[in-house]
Each structure stands twice: as C-alpha cells, then as structure tokens.
Amino acid sequence: MLAKKRVLVGISGGIAAYKMPETIRLLKKAGAEVKVVLSPSACDFVSPLSLAVCSGNPVTSELFDVHTGHWVNHVELALWADIMLIAPATAKTLSSMAQAHTDNALLVTWLSSRCPVLVAPAMDHDMWLSPLVQDQVRRLAQHGTQVIPPGHGALASGLIGEGRMQEPSQLLRHLECFFLKPTNLWGKTLLISSGGTREALDPVRFLGNESTGKMGAALADVAKAAGATVWFAQGKNSQEPVLTPDRVFPFQSALDLQQIMESQAPAADYIFMAAAVADYRPKKVESQKIKKQSGGLNQIDLTENPDILKGLAGLPKRGTLVGFALETEHGMQHARQKLDRKMVDFLVLNSMEHEGAGLGHDTNKVSILQPGNEEIHLPLQSKLQTAVQLINTICS
Ligand code: C5P
C-alpha cells in the first residue's frame, strides 16, 4: 500500500517528535520514499542528522542558508509529495495552519502542497481540549485536512489524559488506510466481534478454535481510520487492532459474547459478527482440574450454545447486521442457507479453497451475500484491503 509512495513528513516542536525516526523507519520498510521538513523548534527535540539517516534524504529546516546563499525550493518539495504527514502537530503549528501563517519552512512547504495532508496533533490534555485549539482543528478538517486524533495516556507533563500522539505503527496504519480510501464513517458506531470463543472444561482446559481475529482487527482498524466509533468484542486469542478501539469488551465463552453483543447492539449502526463461536459447550464445568485417574475426560457431554447472530437479528432495534461464514464444502450453497436462516443483512463467506485465505492468514478471499442480490466476489488480497471493501460495500 505504501510501496513507492512519496511521503513528506513535517515535524513540529513537541516531545512526541522522538517517535518520528521510528515512524520514518517503518515507512521506508513499507517501501515509501520519505523526505522530511522541520519547524525550527522541532530541531530541539529530534536531530536533523537522525532524520536524514533514517529517511535517506537531506532534511529541510531552513529555507535559506546564510553562509552559502542556498535557497530551498519549498514548492518543488511540496509538489514532490503524494501525501504529507505532519506529526507531531503542536498547538502552535495547528493554529498557524488554520490561519495560513507561513513563518517557517514546514508551514510554507505545507501551504504550497497539493497532496492530501494528515495531521497528528500532540500536546497536553488541557491544551488539546481547549475550545480554541478544537476550533482550529475543526477549521482544518473542514478544509480537507485529515486529523489523526491523539490518544489517551501518559503525557510529558506527568498528567494522564488526552493529547498523546499516536504511536509510529498507528501513524503508519492511518496512512495505509488513507490510500485504501475507506468510506467516511464519522458519526457511525461499529460493533465488531473478533477471535474465537473458549468453552471451559475445568479451570485450565477449554474447547476452542483456530480463529486468530485478524479479520476482526483489520475491520476495527479501517473503521477507526475512517472516523467511526469502534466497539471491539475481543476473544482471548484475538489479535489486537493497531488503532485503539473506543471500547474493548473481552470475552471467553459464547455466553459472555452473547451478553456483550445483545447489550451493545441496539446502540450500534453496524454489527460485524466476525467472531468464531463454538456451537457447543461442555454441559458441566468442573471447579477443579479433572484428574486423569478419574476417567473424567473419556467423554465430554455437550450442550448447544445460543445462536448469537440469530438472536441479534430478532432484536427490536438494531443496526445493519453482518455475519461471517467459513465452510469447508459447498461454500456458496451453505452460505445462502445461512443468510436466510440467520436473517442477517449481509453474510461474508470466507473461502477455504484458496491458498492464503481464511483462518490465520494475513490475506483473505471473501464473497459478500445479501438477500435478493447477486453475490459480490472479492479477490485474494490483504485482510486490510478486504476490510476496506467490506466496509465500503456494507456501510455505503
Ligand atoms: O459457525 P457458523 O458458520 O454458523 O457462523 C456463522 C456466523 O454465525 C458467524 O458470524 C458467527 O459469529 C455466528 N455465530 C453465532 N452464534 C453461534 C455460532 C455462530 O453468532 N452459536
């Protein structure tokens, strides 16, 4: 996704600038070309030499060298870029941008750019929440700048709160998602279940499955990057999304998951039931570890789990409901039956017939089924690309 993309990284003067050499390293690893432009105060936080070495290009921090008379063509630099990432974007830089002030190399390069611009604000809690800063950010967003909202956590002041710039891997994920063009999900809430259930036999053993939660995590990342509020029901073995969901609901068993989904679904606009749910659970959970001598594991009596998806379909108030199916034979035929039986709005069929698709892989090949419509067959592609196409089809 980032291969051969020209990324212009603008760095302004905040402590979060320490994250930028690592961000640039990740961008280069992903195949991007990187150039860097700094505000004067950014040089107090991160060395131009480190950035030049990491990016493999000279960095720009001044427009004019008084000793040599060399002038940097900021317009050429701006027009070179496919995308510009300003991170960290301090309160001062955001406010200068909102008013088109161009008193340094970073700002004048930014104002000369024609490419999309993403800003990653970083500042202390109260500064970030100040109505004046929020006004400037809104103004920039109205003019097409994409804002990567800061997270919650430890701040340089010692406070814990909002304003912490996203981590390098998160900045990278935002850029990847940006190039995949997900539909805008501002104001929408997505409830996503991910990973497999575990049905306890005793305090140390369980019946589980091979789900890794990679598809659910990719959906959560794309939704978050597209501006949605994300509620993530996370199985014990599920991969974590890179972008922090707004709320995380850990679950183990199908009954745990049922309780989470039924209580949250009425307030969600879209429900993606990507979790792999056990159809059965042991009838009895032993309170002590089952001993080999007692012959307790010769036979496990099972009882059926509720069909969570079917239950959600019957809720009096709910958003668009999406089920996922994994079939080992007659995939399309079984998926059509499942679509009718579970009364969902969409069913996503995971192919088991293609190398690299389905459980545990980073790639997937799915078909989207909808009552009364032709199936949509998506190609074998990364789970992130699959997630964007699912969201763009289902949430349009
Ligand atoms: O396992 P199956 O192929 O029936 O799963 C299809 C869909 O139904 C999935 O979205 C899964 O999360 C959901 N499901 C459920 N409750 C179950 C079994 C599956 O909600 N007991």
Side-chain angles (χ1 to χ4, degrees):
M1 274 152 274
L2 293 173
K4 300 210 164 49
K5 293 283 190 270
R6 294 168 164 186
V7 183
L8 179 56
V9 175
I11 304 178
S12 60
I15 182 62
Y18 81 86
K19 297 179 181 176
M20 296 319 288
E22 172 68 359
T23 304
I24 292 166
R25 197 186 66 78
L26 294 177
L27 283 166
K28 295 281 290 178
K29 200 169 158 207
E33 280 183 64
V34 182
K35 290 189 179 179
V36 181
V37 56
L38 295 156
S39 74
S41 57
C43 304
D44 294 333
F45 291 95
V46 65
S47 127
L49 179 59
S50 311
L51 298 163
V53 173
C54 290
S55 66
N57 277 311
V59 304
T60 303
S61 57
E62 301 284 346
L63 289 171
F64 179 67
D65 185 329
V66 278
H67 303 297
T68 62
H70 176 71
W71 173 71
V72 173
N73 187 338
H74 59 85
V75 176
E76 197 180 326
L77 181 60
L79 296 184
W80 166 86
D82 293 320
I83 195 161
M84 185 169 186
L85 168 69
I86 302 182
T90 58
K92 178 174 181 299
T93 294
L94 290 167
S95 139
S96 298
M97 288 170 75
Q99 290 159 65
H101 287 166
T102 53
D103 55 4
N104 65 40
L106 164 58
L107 292 166
V108 78
T109 307
W110 159 73
L111 198 60
S112 316
S113 68
R114 292 183 189 164
C115 63
V117 178
L118 275 71
V119 293
M123 62 200 78
D124 217 85
H125 177 87
D126 297 293
M127 293 169 74
W128 171 244
L129 294 181
S130 140
L132 289 172
V133 169
Q134 289 297 315
D135 268 357
Q136 313 284 15
V137 171
R138 242 190 316 277
R139 189 169 152 78
L140 286 171
Q142 278 159 3
H143 286 274
T145 303
Q146 184 164 325
V147 181
I148 302 177
H152 186 273
L155 301 165
S157 61
L159 293 180
I160 308 262
E162 303 294 318
R164 194 181 155 83
M165 190 177 81
Q166 301 274 315
E167 299 304 318
S169 60
Q170 297 177 316
L171 295 176
L172 206 79
R173 181 59 34 124
H174 273 283
L175 287 174
E176 287 170 339
C177 289
F178 183 86
F179 280 112
L180 293 173
K181 299 190 179 15
T183 202
N184 190 332
L185 293 176
W186 270 107
K188 301 289 178 202
T189 298
L190 273 71
L191 172 62
I192 300 165
S193 72
S194 181
T197 50
R198 289 180 172 191
E199 303 296 346
L201 277 162
D202 67 17
V204 292
R205 301 191 184 92
F206 58 85
L207 301 178
N209 60 60
E210 291 277 10
S211 170
T212 55
K214 286 185 175 175
M215 194 63 240
L219 281 164
D221 278 345
V222 170
K224 194 78 199 118
T229 298
V230 175
W231 296 342
F232 192 65
Q234 181 171 3
K236 200 126 193 218
N237 59 344
S238 170
Q239 180 162 315
E240 298 221 349
V242 178
L243 305 183
T244 314
D246 297 275
R247 294 174 75 182
V248 176
F249 303 92
F251 69 84
Q252 295 225 34
S253 67
L255 292 180
D256 293 344
L257 182 59
Q258 181 188 34
Q259 194 273 329
I260 293 164
M261 297 306 283
E262 289 187 353
S263 59
Q264 302 306 317
D269 298 291
Y270 297 93
I271 304 148
F272 286 81
M273 188 69 191
V277 184
D279 289 322
Y280 295 91
R281 66 177 183 278
K283 229 177 203 163
K284 184 158 183 271
V285 183
E286 298 296 339
S287 60
Q288 301 300 329
K289 189 177 167 198
I290 302 166
K291 291 280 176 222
K292 197 173 176 183
Q293 301 88 295
S294 69
L297 279 180
N298 288 344
Q299 182 183 326
I300 302 169
D301 288 333
L302 299 173
T303 183
E304 200 167 340
N305 269 330
D307 190 321
I308 304 170
L309 201 52
K310 210 166 166 187
L312 295 176
L315 288 177
K317 183 181 174 295
R318 65 159 172 88
T320 302
L321 186 59
V322 187
F324 287 73
L326 186 74
E327 304 292 343
T328 50
E329 54 177 1
H330 310 301
M332 196 51 75
Q333 186 192 337
H334 285 158
R336 275 269 161 222
Q337 289 164 357
K338 216 166 258 185
L339 180 70
D340 294 341
R341 199 172 63 243
K342 303 214 182 203
M343 295 178 299
V344 288
D345 302 302
F346 293 90
L347 193 89
V348 179
L349 172 65
N350 289 281
S351 165
M352 284 290 281
E353 290 146 34
H354 293 84
E355 183 118 347
L359 288 175
H361 294 285
D362 290 324
T363 47
N364 209 0
K365 183 171 183 348
V366 304
S367 303
I368 308 171
L369 288 77
Q370 203 187 354
N373 277 344
E374 288 280 293
E375 300 91 44
I376 301 170
H377 303 287
L378 302 185
L380 183 70
Q381 55 192 345
S382 73
K383 284 194 169 161
L384 203 64
Q385 286 168 314
T386 304
V388 171
Q389 292 203 358
L390 288 176
I391 282 179
N392 288 0
T393 307
I394 292 164
C395 310
S396 59

